[in-house]
Amino acid sequence: MIYLDHNATTQPAPAVVQAMLQQMSSTWANTSSQHGPGQDAKRALGAARAVVARVLGCKPVEVVFTSGATESNQMAVRGLLAAAEPVRRRVLFSRVEHSAHLKLARALAESGVQVDWLPVRADGTLDVAAAAALMGPDVALVSLMAANNETGVLMPYEAVAQLAQNVGARMHVDATQLIGKLPFDFAASGADAVSLSAHKFHGPKGVGALLLRQGTAFVPPTPGSQERGRRGGTENLPAIVGMAAALERLGDLEQQAARIAQLRDALEAGLQQALPATHVWSQQVARLPGTSYLRFGQLSVDVVLQRLDTLGVAASSGAACSSGGSEPSHVLKAMGVPADEALAAVRFSLGSDTTHGDVGYLLNKLPPLLAPLLREETTTPSTTESP
Ligand code: PMP
């Protein structure tokens, strides 16, 4: 199988599996227990925390372990909002946040919080001037992703953090897609809170962290004695140890990103040459190195994914979390893409294990399968009615 769906999840690295097996068969006691085995487990937790802090440029006390980015995102927004001064009742979200995060935004709006939306341009980039215009002394916090999971577009989170800081608002960054693919430094980011999920960088699923700047006012949405009172619940130590192992093995990300971007660019160029109806979104702007979001004319994504499946290639339609549904992607909608084009969206996401051979295979095999369908498409009149 050729796996080109790294934005959905990645295969746990052998070093990660090894670290988890080792942890589960040795220091498996409760980290809160006073006895010797409990203290051993506590030391293992501390060691994992130190690794996360070192790799991501924060202090160990700033790492709060969670069950993944969905929880970290919710925790950040709810926890920072609850701690904000009463005059700060406005929250800003970008329109292209992860779908689960948008559900939180809508729930907040229904509960009476004023939610304002940061717009994106047609190329998927954030409109910083529009963001600046929405800032004010009544803003409690801004929540913005570091990189979009569908288009791969990099967001100017540092600039927006500066804007938030200027009005005394807190800044939350969902760095789930960026961390592990490009260098990230919490101290330099200007963010107060940052979310990450281990399974996006060859770690296990169901574990992540919220990096929370020391001294930031925060009301824990899940109180308890663990994680210095910021998140209750016995820590998932095997998964946490696995996440630390995954971060530790990352290596030179700049170098890897350059290699992966070269493969991605070769894939796009080859597809565009063989199938001129190929349209790539956000191709001209700064993107994650491995992400390619495109459509083949208006061929239904289900048809394309089925053909890919017969070739043994795993790819995705827009956000994996909404696959199966026929709703056009909210990201493409925010970019002003018409629904019939958005329903043709295919996402390839390459990763550190993608090879030249994988790209060559796809370029050899896919165009002959799609070309006849595209010819049919241009000769059959569209059934879509004009509004
Ligand atoms: N944010 C972004 C940008 C994501 O891509 C994802 C995963 N698709 C999440 C949050 C949620 O991560 P998890 O499912 O691991 O909680």
Side-chain angles (χ1 to χ4, degrees):
M1 195 244 311
I2 294 178
Y3 187 76
L4 299 179
D5 201 11
H6 290 78
N7 287 10
T9 197
T10 55
Q11 184 177 7
V16 168
V17 176
Q18 200 50 44
M20 292 177 74
L21 283 172
Q22 163 73 19
Q23 200 289 319
M24 277 192 279
S25 49
S26 56
T27 50
W28 48 263
N30 193 317
T31 56
S32 301
S33 298
Q34 297 298 311
H35 46 62
Q39 293 307 298
D40 288 345
K42 193 172 177 179
R43 269 191 292 279
L45 180 66
R49 197 184 303 282
V51 170
V52 175
R54 175 168 52 75
V55 177
L56 299 177
C58 64
K59 299 175 191 161
V61 296
E62 294 177 321
V63 178
V64 183
F65 291 116
T66 67
S67 65
T70 305
E71 183 190 346
S72 298
N73 284 347
Q74 302 240 351
M75 191 171 149
V77 170
R78 289 198 185 279
L80 293 172
L81 181 61
E85 304 146 48
V87 290
R88 295 184 182 272
R89 297 324 291 164
R90 201 149 61 86
V91 180
L92 311 184
F93 283 85
S94 92
R95 283 204 185 280
V96 297
E97 294 305 298
H98 188 259
S99 52
H101 207 42
L102 291 182
K103 286 198 170 106
L104 170 70
R106 283 186 220 111
L108 289 178
E110 276 164 26
S111 73
V113 175
Q114 190 183 337
V115 174
D116 284 338
W117 300 99
L118 307 178
V120 295
R121 303 187 188 88
D123 61 7
T125 56
L126 192 90
D127 187 339
V128 181
L134 283 168
M135 295 291 168
D138 59 337
V139 175
L141 85 129
V142 183
S143 191
L144 174 65
M145 58 192 0
N148 186 266
N149 46 308
E150 294 185 30
T151 58
V153 170
L154 303 181
M155 299 291 168
Y157 61 91
E158 285 144 316
V160 175
Q162 187 60 56
L163 292 174
Q165 201 178 53
N166 292 347
V167 297
R170 300 278 80 84
M171 179 77 190
H172 165 246
V173 175
D174 175 3
T176 307
Q177 289 293 344
L178 185 100
I179 289 177
K181 300 188 180 93
L182 288 170
F184 179 80
D185 187 81
F186 180 63
S189 70
D192 299 291
V194 169
S195 306
L196 59 136
S197 219
H199 69 101
K200 305 289 184 183
F201 47 86
H202 301 279
K205 290 165 188 62
V207 67
L210 182 69
L211 310 181
L212 191 58
R213 191 168 302 288
Q214 197 173 18
T216 304
F218 181 78
V219 179
T222 315
S225 58
Q226 290 85 1
E227 299 300 286
R228 293 179 174 249
R230 293 166 299 184
R231 195 252 190 191
T234 303
E235 299 90 349
N236 183 357
L237 192 52
I240 289 169
V241 165
M243 174 162 70
L247 284 170
E248 204 151 32
R249 65 173 281 287
L250 281 179
D252 185 340
L253 288 180
E254 302 268 16
Q255 207 182 337
Q256 282 174 39
R259 187 190 77 84
I260 295 168
Q262 227 171 33
L263 291 179
R264 188 263 322 267
D265 293 346
L267 174 64
E268 290 181 350
L271 289 173
Q272 283 173 311
Q273 196 183 11
L275 303 167
T278 307
H279 175 81
V280 183
W281 285 292
S282 308
Q283 196 173 21
Q284 305 304 330
V285 300
R287 285 179 291 169
L288 289 172
T291 307
S292 182
Y293 202 29
L294 48 80
R295 64 178 166 83
F296 299 104
Q298 289 185 14
L299 277 187
S300 146
V301 63
D302 293 338
V303 171
V304 179
L305 290 183
Q306 191 272 329
R307 297 301 190 279
L308 285 167
D309 199 40
T310 61
L311 296 175
V313 176
S316 170
S317 66
C321 312
S322 62
S323 63
S326 54
E327 278 293 293
S329 137
H330 69 277
V331 175
L332 292 174
K333 196 171 169 196
M335 290 159 62
V337 174
D340 45 4
E341 291 180 7
L343 288 171
V346 183
R347 182 186 67 186
F348 292 110
S349 45
L350 291 61
S352 56
D353 44 18
T354 308
T355 64
H356 260 291
D358 295 341
V359 171
Y361 173 84
L362 191 57
L363 287 177
N364 271 331
K365 301 283 184 186
L366 188 62
L369 289 185
L370 298 189
L373 301 174
L374 285 165
R375 270 197 298 276
E376 230 172 79
E377 186 178 63
T378 48
T379 51
T380 316
S382 168
T383 50
T384 318
E385 285 177 19
S386 307

